[in-house]
Amino acid sequence: MENASKDENAVSSLLGTLNTDGATPVPIKADPTTFRLKVSDGTDGSDNGPVNAPKDGNYVSALLAVSSEDGVTPVV
C-alpha cells in the first residue's frame, strides 16, 4: 500500500483503489506535461470495492465517486 504524497502545505494528493481488489489505496497519476489524469476506461469488471473508502497508512481516504446509475450511491 502506498501513502498519499503531500505538498508544502500538507495537502494530500488523490488516492484511488486497485481495480483488482477495490481495497488497496494507490496514487492517482497525472501527466506532468498536460496535467491530464491517467485513466483506463474498462468496459467490464466487478464490484470489488468496500462500502467505505479505504485509507492509507496515514489515514488519508481514497477517492469516492457516485454511481452513474443513480447519482447518489458512493462508489470506491
Side-chain angles (χ1 to χ4, degrees), residues 63-67 72-76:
L63 183 69
L64 283 176
V66 294
S67 170
V72 177
T73 305
V75 177
V76 177

Side-chain angles (χ1 to χ4, degrees), residues 8-70:
E8 294 175 359
N9 293 316
V11 175
S12 298
S13 62
L14 292 175
L15 292 173
T17 56
L18 282 176
N19 64 341
T20 53
D21 68 8
T24 303
V26 293
I28 293 178
K29 298 178 180 177
D31 184 299
T33 304
T34 64
F35 308 107
R36 294 180 179 149
L37 292 179
K38 301 266 187 175
V39 297
S40 174
D41 186 14
T43 57
D44 61 349
S46 301
D47 179 7
N48 295 317
V51 176
N52 297 317
K55 296 181 186 285
D56 72 5
N58 293 320
Y59 303 104
V60 175
S61 295
L63 183 69
L64 283 176
V66 294
S67 170
S68 61
E69 292 181 11
D70 64 15

